[in-house]
Amino acid sequence: NFLGCERPDSLSAIAPVAGGLATYSCEEGVGVWLTHGIYDTTVLPSEGETALALWAGLNGCDETYVDIDPSPCVAYEGCARDTHWCPHTGGHEWPYFAGEAIWDFFAAQ
């Protein structure tokens, strides 16, 4: 999240895994693929949801989304930059689907 905020002119996209926002002041959107465990006690799920809200807003997304692969990911509609959200049933760990999904997301940017 930090790099997306600080270097939107240099990065096409970011992919935070269980990432929070801290106090970043972001002014420009980037493509974003976010995942967060709904049972994360290290970085609370609300922090991931706050990051999603920030990026969806900066990317001009609608409130609507469509299901995408891998499940349980969704892609928000109407975005100037791709905005994907992938909540999973784990905690603060790397979800099994993240590596390939992030690679595919970056390749599409």
Side-chain angles (χ1 to χ4, degrees):
N1 285 309
F2 176 77
L3 289 173
C5 288
E6 293 295 315
R7 301 279 187 239
D9 54 333
S10 301
L11 298 172
S12 296
I14 60 171
V17 175
L21 277 175
T23 57
Y24 306 143
S25 177
C26 309
E27 298 178 12
E28 217 176 300
V30 296
V32 62
W33 186 98
L34 301 125
T35 189
H36 211 106
I38 62 173
Y39 299 112
D40 191 338
T41 58
T42 303
V43 178
L44 297 179
S46 60
E47 293 188 45
E49 293 164 357
T50 298
L52 170 62
L54 171 84
W55 293 115
L58 288 171
N59 290 335
C61 301
D62 298 337
E63 291 185 17
T64 58
Y65 54 82
V66 296
D67 293 337
I68 58 169
D69 286 328
S71 179
C73 299
V74 298
Y76 278 79
E77 298 183 305
C79 305
R81 306 294 295 269
D82 290 339
T83 304
H84 295 189
W85 172 239
C86 301
H88 63 91
T89 58
H92 191 74
E93 74 269 350
W94 188 271
Y96 74 92
F97 58 82
E100 184 176 351
I102 292 169
W103 185 264
D104 291 345
F105 181 79
F106 283 162
Q109 303 306 302

